Amino acid sequence: MSRTSDTRGPDGTEESVPTGSLAHRVPDLGALELLLAVARLGSLGAAAREVGITQPAASSRIRSMERQLGVALVDRSPRGSRLTDAGALVTDWARRVVEAAEAFDAGAQALRHRRDSRLRVAASMTIAEYLLPGWLLALRAQRPDTAVSLLAGNSTAVAERLLADEADLGFVEGLTVPAGLDSVVVAHDQLIVVTAPGHAWARRRKPLPAEELASTPLVLREKGSGTRQVLDAALGGLARPLIELSSTTAVKASAVAGAGPAVLSELSVREELSTRRLVSVPVDRVGLRRDLRAVWRTGHRPAGPARDLLSLTRG
């Protein structure tokens, strides 16, 4: 709460002047800019037009500033507006404050330009390969001068990049959001079991029992990947992998080559399914739908290009 002290106002009456924080004791920049315009133009009306407000609003702002400071600043007459001696002194101070504010604004603009000139994105493999290219193409249309770098890895690696401040925005596929990160769901995905057409599962007439899927060695992504986390949680555990690979593309290529069944994002195998290089195998009573999330460090809500990219993913 601000304190007050008694003093004489512009009209000689006793007034209470705030003595608390600077925000209560110092006029705002708009009022100071108006006072400088009055000093330069010699007319309250002309000053009001220059700063884009009405003359009554300008008069009210000057009176409010006079009450705040406890001194008369402007003498008004039919011939125009003239600064009082106190007003001339306050104007000199105001000029320094406004110049400092202009320097502050220029510095802030430089910081925004530096932030907006680059965007560091970290994304898990499926999102990096199948969704981000379209989002980044749309971002480039909006921000052609922003240089984008993309770091692809599993969901655990994405979280580590963000927490180390090596990325401005991340995208993950896992079940949980690591501590220290905030998130929002931007899309949904379905994991499906796929095999080469020659595999016995491709000829099944009934859905595959969940127990058989869980007990069968599969071609899998590495631990820490969102796909592995979702599958492990849905089945309550997995057999030892037939092959463990670090990218969606590698897992898919192995399945196409007949190495064994795999579980992959539906986004990643559309072409292979349409050309029958892979066959989808229905599974009985297993939910493999997952949320795809944008993530960022807690307390660092996306701004600039990161905010624009986030908006595009949800459009």
Side-chain angles (χ1 to χ4, degrees), residues 4-130:
T4 62
S5 63
D6 293 333
T7 188
R8 296 287 173 181
D11 58 0
T13 60
E14 192 172 88
E15 292 185 349
S16 294
V17 178
T19 60
S21 69
L22 280 174
H24 292 98
R25 304 197 313 268
V26 177
D28 62 43
L29 281 174
L32 297 179
E33 287 179 318
L34 174 62
L35 182 63
L36 290 174
V38 172
R40 187 173 63 257
L41 300 172
S43 164
L44 189 60
R49 288 191 295 273
E50 181 173 282
V51 301
I53 60 176
T54 65
Q55 183 165 338
S59 296
S60 176
R61 186 169 291 185
I62 292 293
R63 286 195 299 271
S64 176
M65 185 164 38
E66 289 175 331
R67 286 194 300 271
Q68 185 177 23
L69 297 175
V71 295
L73 302 174
V74 178
D75 282 334
R76 305 160 186 84
S77 72
R79 295 186 300 277
S81 300
R82 183 182 63 83
L83 295 180
T84 65
D85 291 342
L89 185 58
V90 170
T91 299
D92 284 340
W93 298 335
R95 187 171 293 108
R96 296 178 216 167
V97 172
V98 171
E99 287 173 352
E102 289 171 344
F104 181 96
D105 181 55
Q109 288 188 48
L111 287 175
R112 287 193 298 271
H113 177 74
R114 187 172 70 179
R115 178 202 66 192
D116 294 353
S117 66
R118 67 168 188 173
L119 173 61
R120 302 168 302 166
V121 181
S124 53
M125 300 301 297
T126 299
I127 297 174
E129 293 181 48
Y130 300 100

Side-chain angles (χ1 to χ4, degrees), residues 140-162:
R140 183 170 179 79
Q142 289 187 7
R143 289 181 172 270
D145 297 329
T146 297
V148 180
S149 61
L150 173 59
L151 304 167
N154 62 36
S155 295
T156 298
V158 170
E160 291 172 351
R161 295 274 193 180
L162 287 166

Side-chain angles (χ1 to χ4, degrees), residues 177-201:
V177 177
L181 299 181
D182 290 336
S183 73
V184 65
V185 174
V186 297
H188 301 283
D189 185 28
Q190 183 71 31
L191 296 179
I192 60 174
V193 179
V194 293
T195 68
H199 192 276
W201 284 1

